[in-house]
Amino acid sequence: MRRVETVHTQFQSLEVWKSDVATEFRVAGAIHAWHHSRRFLTGLAWDLIAASVLLRKDGPPRSILMLGLAGGTAYRVLRHLLPDCQLTAIDIDGEIVSLARRHMDLDELGIEIHTADAYEWLAKNQRRFDVVFDDIYLAGKTDVFRPRAWNSELMDHLRRAVAPGGLLAVNLVVGPGHRTMQSLTRKILRGSFPTVRSLTTLQSMNEVLVAGDAVATGPRLESHGEMFHDWRDRMYWDRIKVRRIS
């Protein structure tokens, strides 16, 4: 791959890297968004995000709200798996959304996009979604960080946006410097919902937590794996592990 552009938005500095078939947005040395003309999965966090929303007990979601969009990597997977699903996203950084439109064919996905502070938008929101996913991270000088820990006020806003029978999910970076946030989020979800499941894969430094009154188990993902035609996509999908957090 070759670096073709360096962009400084109001919220982050990122590099655009390209090959003949792929594009990456890199922030603080890490891949922040990914697009491939022939494949969908990476073995990283976006696979877990896409898989988590499919664990709705009553079947695939008809509507999803994503807090934090970036290049739309997870939504590209979900548009492939759920062609009729209503996809809505909130992102504070309109410049990175514009870059994704230029470099990652974002407009092809048919997403309803709002440029706003996601938590402020959520506080005023009156709509409900089958899945609400929190993937809000900002870029520091050497690492990413979550701008706000979940508390009772934010949990009220999140739960209000989840339709009956729906799911609330969150992407968490794991490892040194992130364990306190991971533990706190686990504790809050366990205290707020009857069922919490964790999705991980060996190559990713992330854990996705998905919570609800009922959350389907790992076998629910098997039939969706058949929708990927590339053997690498199927391999990555099969590596996703789902377990209950007790």
Side-chain angles (χ1 to χ4, degrees):
M1 302 190 83
R2 65 192 185 281
R3 185 176 61 189
V4 299
E5 191 174 359
T6 300
V7 180
H8 305 285
T9 78
Q10 181 182 352
F11 300 96
Q12 57 200 320
S13 296
L14 62 89
E15 298 175 342
V16 180
W17 288 71
K18 281 184 173 288
S19 71
D20 291 340
V21 295
T23 302
E24 294 177 357
F25 292 170
R26 300 183 185 180
V27 175
I31 302 174
H32 194 58
W34 181 85
H35 172 274
H36 196 284
S37 61
R38 302 170 191 166
R39 291 167 40 211
F40 293 95
L41 302 184
T42 61
L44 303 176
W46 305 292
D47 304 2
L48 304 176
I49 294 170
S52 70
V53 310
L54 301 173
L55 298 181
R56 183 171 170 269
K57 194 71 172 179
D58 294 334
R62 295 156 299 195
S63 60
I64 303 170
L65 172 65
M66 184 77 70
L67 307 178
L69 176 65
T73 307
Y75 262 174
R76 183 167 301 279
V77 181
L78 286 166
R79 178 55 77 207
H80 174 68
L81 296 175
L82 304 172
D84 298 322
C85 188
Q86 177 188 354
L87 305 179
T88 303
I90 318 297
D91 201 294
I92 198 169
D93 194 340
E95 292 175 85
I96 198 171
V97 173
S98 296
L99 281 172
R101 288 188 161 115
R102 284 171 48 202
H103 294 286
M104 294 187 166
D105 299 326
L106 186 66
D107 287 334
E108 292 183 358
L109 304 182
I111 306 169
E112 177 191 339
I113 301 173
H114 300 268
T115 302
D117 180 303
Y119 293 140
E120 291 181 3
W121 185 93
L122 196 66
K124 301 173 184 177
N125 168 61
Q126 299 298 318
R127 297 165 59 184
R128 308 190 85 179
F129 303 83
D130 286 340
V131 178
V132 174
F133 199 105
D134 184 340
D135 189 27
I136 299 178
Y137 274 93
L138 296 178
K141 291 183 178 179
T142 60
D143 202 354
V144 296
F145 65 96
R146 294 191 68 84
R148 179 176 175 182
W150 281 8
N151 56 25
S152 58
E153 178 187 31
L154 178 54
M155 180 59 68
D156 287 344
H157 298 328
L158 290 163
R159 294 196 67 161
R160 189 177 68 243
V162 178
L167 301 175
L168 173 62
V170 57
N171 175 36
L172 295 168
V173 177
V174 300
H178 298 279
R179 291 194 178 99
T180 299
M181 180 66 74
Q182 182 186 18
S183 298
L184 175 61
T185 307
R186 282 183 169 209
K187 180 179 179 180
I188 290 173
L189 283 176
R190 287 200 307 268
S192 303
F193 293 92
T195 306
V196 182
R197 299 198 190 277
S198 165
L199 288 84
T200 56
T201 191
L202 286 175
Q203 291 177 260
S204 176
M205 294 294 293
N206 297 74
E207 175 185 53
V208 165
L209 300 177
V210 56
D213 292 336
V215 182
T217 57
R220 171 65 64 85
L221 302 179
E222 293 175 3
S223 61
H224 295 282
E226 299 171 359
M227 298 181 66
F228 297 110
H229 303 298
D230 189 281
W231 67 269
R232 285 159 294 194
D233 285 343
R234 294 193 299 272
M235 174 187 69
Y236 287 138
W237 194 254
D238 290 342
R239 289 179 179 178
I240 296 172
K241 304 299 182 185
V242 181
R243 63 186 180 91
R244 181 163 185 161
I245 301 295
S246 58

